[in-house]
Amino acid sequence: MSDNKYQENASVLIVIVNYRTPELTIACLESLTTEIESCPNLQVVVTDNNSGDRSVELISEAIAKKQWHWATLMPLNVNGGFAAGNNAAIRPALNSEEPPDYILLLNPDTVVRPGGAIELLKFMHHNPQVGIAGSRLENPDGSPQRSAFRFHSILSEINSGLRLGIISRLLSSWVVAPPVPKNACQVDWVAGASMLIRREVFDRVGLMDEAYFLYYEEVDFCLQANRAGYSCCYVPASRVVHLVGQSSGIDSAKTKKNRLPRYWFESRQRYFLKNHGWLYTVAVDLVWTICHSLWRLRRVLQNKPNTDPPKLLEDFVRHSSWFKLSRFKLN
């Protein structure tokens, strides 16, 4: 089957989770209009995580005014986070009489370059063994963002805590965010800002884990898919602008750092506890704390700039497994 014929026949559900970013969501929808022309069976559901502002009104008005018949809005009564917001649209779609072939998770703070979604479909068509594919995320000027990753491990935590050149070189195979690949390749996980998933993956591993409020949910989902035998690939031909930090509230590296929210630490803890057990989690937390403390000492002695979020070490220790283990009840 030719690429064009496949695109015409393939059904895709795009899910965008909005939380108090109606202007960004509308701009994201606008960027999808060219994709609709190439893939007529593409539908978009915008779930609103109980924003409490004018999001529902503004997005509804934009859909009606621009006659985006392919887009619908699903207001939710509670803000359950990223996974819950996506699942609210994915669950009924999978249970329908004609479930979509693919689900594309798309952040509201993204703008899809022309052909961005179609390139993911083409890649999946030619690589039927791949279960998940992610786009090349980039800044508005076209420069790439790191969006192809390795799974987190105790070795990656040593590197992220210590930040010592010789150690980073020794542990280069375990660095979570390696240099941006130039070509399509298999990776451990891709950013949830633009992630295409085959329906069969959901059939095997279930929906995203709603115990994560925000962060690590896509890492966990890719890990479950990997354990079920589905590979994950990075597809740089699919280009998506990502306005980092606009939807999450955590600023990009180019702006003043904000203190990391509680849910970031809780999501990290859940990931390690769920997938590696409490002994591993305690070891990971201890290793990172020691390594980061050594980095802070070296930073002071060598008069290096402080690029960390405020109170990072203090917040990490307060939310560490040896203080917080009893709060996590895994189902």
Side-chain angles (χ1 to χ4, degrees):
M1 183 185 297
S2 68
D3 286 344
N4 289 339
K5 193 66 176 177
Y6 182 73
Q7 291 159 206
E8 292 174 3
N9 293 334
S11 57
V12 184
L13 171 66
I14 298 180
V15 183
I16 303 171
V17 180
N18 174 77
Y19 182 71
R20 299 182 178 179
T21 55
E23 293 83 5
L24 291 174
T25 298
I26 292 168
C28 180
L29 289 170
E30 186 77 55
S31 73
L32 291 170
T33 55
T34 57
E35 309 305 287
I36 300 295
E37 296 173 2
S38 301
C39 185
N41 291 325
L42 189 154
Q43 296 292 317
V44 182
V45 174
V46 177
T47 61
D48 181 75
N49 263 348
N50 195 27
S51 293
D53 59 2
R54 297 185 63 219
S55 286
V56 171
E57 176 186 351
L58 292 174
I59 296 171
S60 295
E61 289 178 354
I63 291 174
K65 180 179 179 180
K66 296 178 180 291
Q67 297 183 343
W68 290 333
H69 60 277
W70 39 266
T72 58
L73 177 63
M74 179 187 293
L76 304 177
N77 294 327
V78 296
N79 179 12
F82 180 77
N86 278 293
N87 287 346
I90 297 171
R91 186 179 292 108
L94 294 179
N95 292 330
S96 66
E97 292 184 359
E98 296 183 2
D101 299 315
Y102 299 97
I103 308 290
L104 175 60
L105 309 186
L106 197 60
N107 267 22
D109 59 354
T110 59
V111 175
V112 178
R113 301 282 196 193
I118 301 305
E119 287 296 334
L120 291 178
L121 277 177
K122 287 181 181 178
F123 184 86
M124 289 296 220
H125 174 46
H126 292 290
N127 298 275
Q129 78 284 359
V130 176
I132 300 172
S135 303
R136 165 193 155 114
L137 301 181
E138 57 187 37
N139 299 309
D141 64 3
S143 58
Q145 299 170 9
R146 299 197 182 196
S147 44
F149 305 100
R150 299 187 181 106
F151 291 130
H152 300 262
S153 68
I154 194 166
L155 293 177
S156 70
E157 295 298 289
I158 291 173
N159 176 69
S160 66
L162 199 55
R163 306 182 204 180
L164 187 61
I166 187 172
I167 299 299
S168 294
R169 287 190 291 273
L170 289 172
L171 299 178
S172 60
S173 296
W174 290 272
V175 172
V176 171
V180 179
K182 293 183 179 180
N183 301 310
C185 59
Q186 184 171 334
V187 297
D188 285 344
W189 63 280
V190 292
S194 180
M195 172 194 286
L196 185 68
I197 308 165
R198 288 189 193 275
R199 182 185 69 236
E200 291 82 1
V201 177
F202 288 105
D203 293 340
R204 287 286 299 277
V205 306
L207 297 173
M208 301 182 77
D209 186 347
E210 296 184 12
Y212 296 98
F213 182 76
L214 188 60
Y215 291 98
Y216 284 86
E217 61 279 284
E218 77 266 51
V219 193
D220 180 75
F221 186 81
C222 288
L223 178 57
Q224 308 314 317
N226 178 274
R227 290 174 172 175
Y230 292 99
S231 59
C232 177
C233 286
Y234 170 71
V235 185
S238 169
R239 299 174 58 196
V240 174
V241 175
H242 184 209
L243 305 173
V244 180
Q246 296 298 306
S247 64
S248 67
I250 297 180
D251 295 341
S252 74
K254 297 181 180 179
T255 62
K256 181 180 178 181
K257 293 284 186 178
N258 286 332
R259 192 170 178 176
L260 288 179
R262 176 177 176 176
Y263 57 74
W264 185 92
F265 297 98
E266 292 184 343
S267 291
R268 177 188 176 279
Q269 290 293 333
R270 178 169 182 81
Y271 175 80
F272 281 113
L273 283 168
K274 174 181 178 180
N275 295 300
H276 299 288
W278 71 271
L279 281 175
Y280 191 94
T281 303
V282 170
V284 164
D285 284 356
L286 181 60
V287 162
W288 187 92
T289 301
I290 293 172
C291 290
H292 186 73
S293 298
L294 291 173
W295 152 248
R296 286 180 56 153
L297 176 61
R298 186 165 66 90
R299 190 189 72 211
V300 172
L301 293 176
Q302 297 180 354
N303 196 28
K304 291 180 176 290
N306 181 10
T307 58
D308 291 327
K311 299 185 180 298
L312 175 59
L313 181 58
E314 296 88 334
D315 286 342
F316 186 92
V317 171
R318 184 167 62 255
H319 294 288
S320 63
S321 55
W322 52 83
F323 285 158
K324 293 289 184 178
L325 192 59
S326 62
R327 298 187 67 253
F328 294 90
K329 299 178 180 179
L330 300 180
N331 298 323

